[in-house]
Amino acid sequence: MKLWRQLIVVMALALCAGCGNSHVTVKPDKATMVGTWTPDKDKSTCPSALILEATKLLIRQDGTFTAQDFPREVSLGRQSSVDGKWSLKKEDNRWSLDLSWETPAMSMLDGARLITKNKEVLIEFWIGDPDAYSRLVLRKQVNP
């Protein structure tokens, strides 16, 4: 019986570890997405060595983006920096960010899910096996 209680506690803790963040289910407007996004070290669960100060995602009003100094584990066609076009995509009642570019070959990163925490939209990039829950989370920078 004691083992059963321990199992329940472990399962409850595992469920609560993911609590607080939820998927974005209402399409964000362009103004929400446009801006400079940088890593949130507190929300990211990937190894800290993958979180670089220089990493940023610049999303522009005209539908273009620049991704700079991303860890190769996120996979931007094995490049650390790319330019391309962005769009929002709905899948299974969740919104995600599609990033496509043409250098050196047509590529797309569709692993950028939109999540929300306290009504703030965040972008999460999954790294490796989803069961490992390793992700790089970006937060939009507020202009001073």
Side-chain angles (χ1 to χ4, degrees):
M1 192 65 159
K2 194 174 195 178
L3 180 62
W4 181 250
R5 279 188 247 162
Q6 289 175 340
L7 181 62
I8 290 173
V9 169
V10 168
M11 289 176 67
L13 288 173
L15 286 172
C16 288
C19 294
N21 292 338
S22 60
H23 298 284
V24 173
T25 57
V26 176
K27 184 178 183 179
D29 58 19
K30 252 189 178 178
T32 299
M33 300 308 302
V34 170
T36 302
W37 298 74
T38 57
D40 183 324
K41 293 179 183 178
D42 294 332
K43 300 275 183 271
S44 296
T45 58
C46 62
S48 59
L50 298 180
I51 303 172
L52 305 175
E53 293 295 327
T55 298
K56 70 178 176 179
L57 176 64
L58 176 59
I59 298 178
R60 297 182 196 90
Q61 181 75 24
D62 67 359
T64 63
F65 77 91
T66 298
Q68 295 179 333
D69 297 311
F70 268 70
R72 291 181 186 258
E73 290 79 2
V74 170
S75 182
L76 296 174
R78 301 202 187 273
Q79 301 176 75
S80 62
S81 299
V82 296
D83 295 301
K85 296 186 181 206
W86 69 274
S87 63
L88 294 172
K89 177 174 133 181
K90 186 175 184 181
E91 195 172 353
D92 297 328
N93 201 30
R94 303 178 197 171
W95 287 94
S96 63
L97 179 64
D98 276 353
L99 304 172
S100 61
W101 61 93
E102 295 185 14
T103 38
M106 182 72 138
S107 299
M108 177 174 278
L109 176 65
D110 63 357
R113 293 211 174 167
L114 301 180
I115 58 173
T116 183
K117 172 82 174 181
N118 299 329
K119 298 186 180 184
E120 177 184 25
V121 173
L122 304 169
I123 302 171
E124 70 176 3
F125 293 91
W126 288 86
I127 299 172
D129 181 1
D131 290 336
Y133 202 65
S134 180
R135 62 198 180 106
L136 173 66
V137 176
L138 302 183
R139 168 175 270 135
K140 185 176 175 182
Q141 296 303 295
V142 179
N143 293 333

